[in-house]
Amino acid sequence: MATEQQVRAAIAAAKGRVFTLVASTLPTSAKVLGKRAEIAAAKSVEGITFQAQQTLATEEVDGGTISVVRVSGRPDPAWGGGDPIRLSKKGTQSLGFVISAMEEYGVATACPYAGREGSACENRKERHTHRAYGLERITSVVVAGEEFVK
């Protein structure tokens, strides 16, 4: 489990560069995974992608599938009004993360707000996506080879 101080230290060390984290997902049902695949297909765009998110392991539990993923990206300053760490709807701390050229469920996806005037993504290119990772589910944060969650 990552602490706020560890994640903030990693953000400071990254100095705006891409860094990598490892986190587990919440249990996700087959129905929700299917819906997410439909949404990804609706947001699909042409272009190259890279495996910004890699599934390291999966485990079937009561309530669905838990995946352990490694993802590379940058903190999302628009996530919490300028702070990439904020409280989630559940009252836990989450890290907002922006991932470039994301491939999800086998298709290249894009943020629907990219380039939209007045949006937080007005000055961003189309080929990015946003994710939030609960600090309690982050097990590793690596910046330039240095591990920040110990």
Side-chain angles (χ1 to χ4, degrees):
M1 177 173 123
T3 66
E4 179 181 358
Q5 293 78 15
Q6 291 168 329
V7 174
R8 288 198 187 282
I11 291 169
K15 299 177 185 169
R17 296 178 306 230
V18 170
F19 63 89
T20 302
L21 60 87
V22 175
S24 60
T25 64
L26 293 172
T28 308
S29 69
K31 180 179 178 181
V32 170
L33 288 172
K35 184 69 175 168
R36 288 180 182 173
E38 288 176 23
I39 292 168
K43 296 190 304 182
S44 68
V45 293
E46 294 296 318
I48 61 167
T49 62
F50 61 93
Q51 291 294 323
Q53 178 170 302
Q54 299 169 323
T55 301
L56 303 176
T58 59
E59 179 183 353
E60 295 298 323
V61 297
D62 191 31
T65 303
I66 293 177
S67 298
V68 177
V69 297
R70 177 175 40 226
V71 62
S72 297
R74 291 182 172 92
D76 188 352
W79 171 251
D83 187 350
I85 298 175
R86 73 170 178 107
L87 288 180
S88 69
K89 293 175 189 174
K90 295 178 181 177
T92 59
Q93 289 183 306
S94 294
L95 170 66
F97 217 52
V98 177
I99 306 157
S100 297
M102 181 75 161
E103 179 181 317
E104 301 177 277
Y105 304 96
V107 296
T109 58
C111 175
Y113 300 103
R116 186 178 292 178
E117 190 174 340
S119 76
C121 296
E122 179 177 0
N123 297 318
R124 288 189 183 272
K125 293 181 181 177
E126 178 182 59
R127 298 298 311 287
H128 74 277
T129 190
H130 303 266
R131 289 290 174 272
Y133 297 94
L135 298 190
E136 75 280 3
R137 296 189 326 264
I138 296 174
T139 57
S140 173
V141 179
V142 178
V143 178
E146 182 182 353
E147 174 64 61
F148 282 82
V149 178
K150 298 176 169 71

